[in-house]
Amino acid sequence: MDTELWLERIRSFAAELGGDAGPAADAPDDVRAAAAEAVGSLTRLADALERDADADLTGRPAPVEVVVPVLGVDGCKGGWVGALLEPGAPRPRIVVAPTIAGLVAMVRESTGIRVVGIDIPIGLPDNTIRLADRLARAALPGKASSIFSTLTRGAYGEATRLEADAVNRELVGQGVGAQAFALRDKIVEVDAWLRTRPTVTVLEVHPEVSFAAMTGAPILASKKTDEGRAARLDALAAAGIARPSVLQGQGYAVDDVLDACAVAWSAARHTTGLARSMPDPPEVFSDGIPAAIWS
């Protein structure tokens, strides 16, 4: 269905829900309040779709519309750092916790987040290289080295890099690098959390893929340099994500916060139907968890 038809249907339904087709005047207050909220959400969605369609002409997406609370998460020395986006909030709120389960639970105590985006592989392959990783590398010319191949589930089950290397070589013919294995504990942690079936949509997002989607091309300067940080802050601002009031703190660095903000941008796009997945549709392995990188 093309964008114009989507816009027509969404705006028409919003008008009907807010008019004679909506709740009667004597309907309970909570019913009329829910209908009013739905009309507002539909209107914001239509506005976001219209802006994004106009932005296609420039090659860059329109500033993101935050219609419901979302959380973007990145790993850090202190555990996990999150960038919380809420409708009407002027900038992301930065939150930190030692575990992913603790971070999400803490945010949900005060905010009804709908989507959690995480910069970590989700959906572990059995005996193949994930298509998501291959497509992400292809989407980042000059920056492809920032995408590590996700190891097999069997390899992540091993306690040492040497043991994981032997398992992965047997299953897919690839060894295990030190940087890739360094992510093992966080990958296993998120995988275990997902198996508790958290009642929130969880997406895998790679910040460099998101930044490339924002700007139309990869940001080649390292995120650990002044030039790279400035470029990413500019990209976030143009994409509708204001500079957080806090950029670093105990257990997390500036680049961790910027990555979390980029992840939150993709999570917000998902709530308005604008996010794209690689691959589309996602792969599904024996764990039953959709494996795709969203932007």
Side-chain angles (χ1 to χ4, degrees):
M1 186 182 299
D2 62 34
T3 301
E4 289 187 5
L5 185 54
W6 267 114
L7 284 169
E8 181 181 350
R9 290 190 176 185
I10 292 170
R11 292 198 188 280
S12 176
F13 183 54
E16 291 178 10
L17 189 59
D20 293 340
D26 59 351
D29 289 344
D30 58 342
V31 173
R32 290 190 289 114
E37 181 181 354
V39 170
S41 296
L42 287 167
T43 301
R44 290 192 295 271
L45 172 57
D47 290 343
L49 286 168
E50 191 167 22
R51 285 196 304 273
D52 200 67
D54 292 340
D56 281 342
L57 300 175
T58 68
R60 296 179 66 149
V64 71
E65 179 79 7
V66 180
V67 297
V68 295
V70 299
L71 181 67
V73 182
D74 187 49
C76 61
K77 288 184 178 179
W80 301 91
V81 60
L84 175 63
L85 302 180
E86 299 177 87
R91 61 189 71 250
R93 177 156 62 95
I94 305 305
V95 290
V96 187
T99 67
I100 185 63
L103 180 69
V104 174
M106 176 177 64
V107 172
R108 297 186 79 176
E109 287 179 358
S110 60
T111 306
I113 51 174
R114 301 287 184 84
V115 177
V116 176
I118 308 178
D119 177 19
I120 207 74
I122 292 174
L124 305 182
D126 302 299
N127 52 16
T128 60
I129 301 298
R130 295 196 320 167
L131 185 54
D133 302 330
R134 292 176 174 173
L135 292 174
R137 278 192 288 270
L140 294 175
K143 200 74 177 180
S145 61
S146 65
I147 306 289
F148 300 118
S149 288
T150 302
L151 309 183
T152 57
R153 178 169 291 279
Y156 284 122
E158 301 297 335
T160 69
R161 178 187 166 195
L162 184 62
E163 293 169 319
D165 185 274
V167 170
N168 217 60
R169 285 184 185 278
E170 180 179 354
L171 291 173
V172 296
Q174 285 193 5
V176 176
Q179 288 178 302
F181 190 71
L183 294 174
R184 174 194 175 275
D185 289 349
K186 289 193 180 297
I187 291 172
V188 170
E189 178 188 347
V190 170
D191 182 68
W193 173 64
L194 286 172
R195 289 170 177 274
T196 68
R197 299 183 181 277
T199 55
V200 64
T201 298
V202 183
L203 307 174
E204 176 183 348
V205 182
H206 194 288
E208 294 304 325
V209 175
S210 294
F211 280 123
M214 290 179 208
T215 62
I219 297 177
L220 299 181
S222 169
K223 63 185 179 181
K224 295 187 180 296
T225 65
D226 290 341
E227 179 188 1
R229 287 190 285 266
R232 286 164 176 78
L233 281 168
D234 288 345
L236 287 167
I241 307 296
R243 179 189 180 103
S245 56
V246 176
L247 281 177
Q248 59 184 325
Q250 186 173 359
Y252 64 97
V254 176
D255 57 288
D256 299 323
V257 171
L258 298 182
D259 281 352
C261 288
V263 174
W265 176 80
S266 292
R269 280 167 56 84
H270 186 272
T271 66
T272 59
L274 298 176
R276 299 181 175 91
S277 72
M278 296 186 295
D280 183 14
E283 289 182 291
V284 179
F285 306 110
S286 64
D287 56 20
I289 301 171
I293 293 174
W294 289 84
S295 61

